[in-house]
Amino acid sequence: KQFYRVCSEFFWELQNVAKGLKRDELSYAMFIRDISMRDMLNIMLDAYIGMKNDYQVNTGTLGKYRKKHLSGLQYEKYRETYQANTNEDVWKSVFAMIDLFGEVGRSIAQKYNYRYPQNDERTIIEYLERVKVKE
């Protein structure tokens, strides 16, 4: 249940970020990205790290050890999620979040025979791309 709840929350909040950016409400968009979405991303990352390490490692307070447990490419994607300052930075960071969330989410789903919401992911990406183009 938690896997599906985290996926649903993550994909739902994406439309709020797009709404904030479209309305030129940068602080709103960044709050949604940095609080709601980041929480869901971090939950998924920590579950992925646990899964890969037979739940024998700890990601530390506020995830301070995530770098140690993610691949170099995964950690670079994670760093990209922290871009900020302009609408373009927020868009880039949101798409980086989607990419990383999808990568680890699909891996968890495969390992535990869950259904990753691929259609939800595709639908929200298409929506975000349309909203971004109209800016």
Side-chain angles (χ1 to χ4, degrees):
K1 284 184 176 181
Q2 183 169 355
F3 178 81
Y4 298 116
R5 185 190 65 76
V6 168
C7 289
S8 293
E9 177 84 12
F10 183 81
F11 293 128
W12 179 258
E13 291 294 5
L14 283 164
Q15 58 86 27
N16 286 321
V17 174
K19 177 173 64 176
L21 292 173
K22 187 70 175 166
R23 294 177 178 171
D24 199 24
E25 299 167 347
L26 184 63
S27 62
Y28 173 81
M30 289 182 67
F31 181 87
I32 297 297
R33 182 202 65 184
D34 291 340
I35 304 301
S36 299
M37 288 182 58
R38 187 159 314 281
D39 284 351
M40 297 304 107
L41 176 62
N42 288 337
I43 288 168
M44 195 65 79
L45 286 172
D46 291 349
Y48 173 79
I49 290 167
M51 177 190 79
K52 291 299 233 184
N53 293 281
D54 295 321
Y55 300 95
Q56 300 298 309
V57 300
N58 187 321
T59 57
T61 304
L62 302 175
K64 64 185 177 183
Y65 302 130
R66 283 190 191 110
K67 181 178 182 178
K68 185 166 98 171
H69 299 293
L70 294 171
S71 72
L73 182 58
Q74 288 170 328
Y75 192 72
E76 274 309 304
K77 287 180 187 178
Y78 187 64
R79 288 176 52 90
E80 289 175 15
T81 72
Y82 281 95
Q83 296 182 54
N85 194 25
T86 67
N87 282 12
E88 186 60 31
D89 289 339
V90 176
W91 278 116
K92 286 178 184 175
S93 68
V94 163
F95 282 107
M97 288 176 113
I98 295 168
D99 186 38
L100 184 56
F101 187 91
E103 178 184 333
V104 299
R106 282 186 290 278
S107 183
I108 291 169
Q110 182 178 17
K111 168 89 174 175
Y112 295 110
N113 202 27
Y114 298 157
R115 186 188 73 74
Y116 181 77
Q118 188 67 40
N119 289 337
D120 294 346
E121 181 183 77
R122 186 177 331 114
T123 299
I124 195 66
I125 289 171
E126 289 170 0
Y127 169 76
L128 294 174
E129 288 172 344
R130 283 193 313 272
V131 170
K132 186 174 185 295
V133 167
K134 290 180 182 178
E135 257 190 51

